[in-house]
Amino acid sequence: MLLNGIKATLLFSTLILLVKCQPKEELTELIYTNQFDQTELGDIEGGKYFEFNGDGVVGPYNRDGFSLDLSDLPKHDFLEVSFTLLLHDSWDGNAGGDDGPDRWYMELDDARIMDVTFSNSPCVSTYCLFQSYPKRFPDFSNPRTGASYFLPGLCHRADLSDGTSVYQITKTIAHTSKTAFFQFYDRLVQTNTDYPACDESWSMSSLEIRTVRLE
């Protein structure tokens, strides 16, 4: 009887351990989406609509950006933020002096989620401007690391087929509040030109936000 009791206890403990080790199911819900294909930008604060390469985008921005204030969020454990970011013309990455660093930020509720630099510079044996993305500034990797594809430039490099780098980015952030305040903005540096916005800028062609709940 004692042996049977020990076996039963061990079996029960094993079952409990197996249940605890099972991965939790993720329940996702799309709470915001914007393809920026209409002049009316909805809840975007500081948004400005224009068309680039045949598609609607929000931007372009130079030492500027936009925000999004969400409320009445369903119960959740994380927020998943996905967006398509377009970097136009002569971003100089981690370069200093008159040309940089060219930094881009995403914040959620005043917490800085992304602080990165981007480079649109070609990299050759004698010259290379490094960027931090996908790592946090001031780390660096090769120029344009992680770009999904390229488009013509917007202004200064409009004649180049790869003058715009396009990044498709997804971030999952621990979050439980019923409200969420997002900010997307840059701190570009180009003091050696009379037309900074033509020298380098950025825009966004899509933005989606989902709540993630672990069950």
Side-chain angles (χ1 to χ4, degrees):
M1 294 294 294
L2 179 60
L3 182 59
N4 290 337
I6 293 175
K7 287 182 177 180
T9 301
L10 290 174
L11 178 60
F12 180 75
S13 300
T14 302
L15 289 173
I16 293 296
L17 182 61
L18 288 173
V19 169
K20 288 184 176 180
C21 291
Q22 291 297 314
K24 292 186 177 181
E25 181 182 2
E26 292 186 1
L27 302 178
T28 64
E29 180 179 344
L30 180 64
I31 59 170
Y32 181 85
T33 181
N34 200 330
Q35 303 302 311
F36 306 117
D37 52 2
Q38 299 179 1
T39 56
E40 176 55 53
L41 296 176
D43 297 327
I44 297 294
E45 180 69 28
K48 45 187 180 179
Y49 172 88
F50 86 112
E51 292 187 3
F52 173 71
N53 200 51
D55 293 320
V57 299
V58 61
Y61 295 103
N62 176 285
R63 297 191 65 80
D64 199 0
F66 68 88
S67 62
L68 174 65
D69 197 356
L70 301 177
S71 59
D72 298 322
L73 274 59
K75 186 176 180 180
H76 61 284
D77 300 290
F78 300 90
L79 290 179
E80 182 183 272
V81 186
S82 300
F83 54 93
T84 304
L85 182 65
L86 291 77
L87 290 307
H88 307 294
D89 303 314
S90 60
W91 286 61
D92 301 297
N94 287 3
D98 294 333
D99 296 323
D102 289 331
R103 299 169 76 169
W104 191 87
Y105 304 92
M106 179 179 77
E107 294 185 358
L108 170 57
D109 299 334
D110 295 323
R112 189 162 288 173
I113 307 302
M114 291 181 65
D115 176 359
V116 295
T117 61
F118 290 100
S119 172
N120 270 351
S121 169
C123 191
V124 296
S125 59
T126 56
Y127 181 79
C128 193
L129 294 177
F130 292 101
Q131 67 180 36
S132 73
Y133 183 83
K135 296 182 179 181
R136 199 174 186 89
F137 181 76
D139 287 336
F140 64 89
S141 56
N142 290 326
R144 298 184 176 185
T145 300
S148 300
Y149 55 94
F150 305 104
L151 295 172
L154 174 63
C155 187
H156 176 59
R157 295 184 176 180
D159 57 333
L160 299 180
S161 61
D162 62 348
T164 293
S165 301
V166 182
Y167 291 81
Q168 295 173 321
I169 299 172
T170 297
K171 293 289 184 181
T172 302
I173 310 156
H175 188 273
T176 58
S177 174
K178 288 187 176 182
T179 62
F181 182 64
F182 289 92
Q183 297 181 84
F184 306 88
Y185 63 99
D186 71 85
R187 287 293 181 267
L188 296 174
V189 178
Q190 65 281 80
T191 58
N192 55 352
T193 176
D194 294 330
Y195 305 99
C198 186
D199 188 64
E200 53 197 30
S201 61
W202 65 275
S203 60
M204 191 177 289
S205 63
S206 68
L207 173 61
E208 291 188 346
I209 302 172
R210 290 175 170 82
T211 57
V212 180
R213 183 178 178 183
L214 302 180
E215 287 289 344

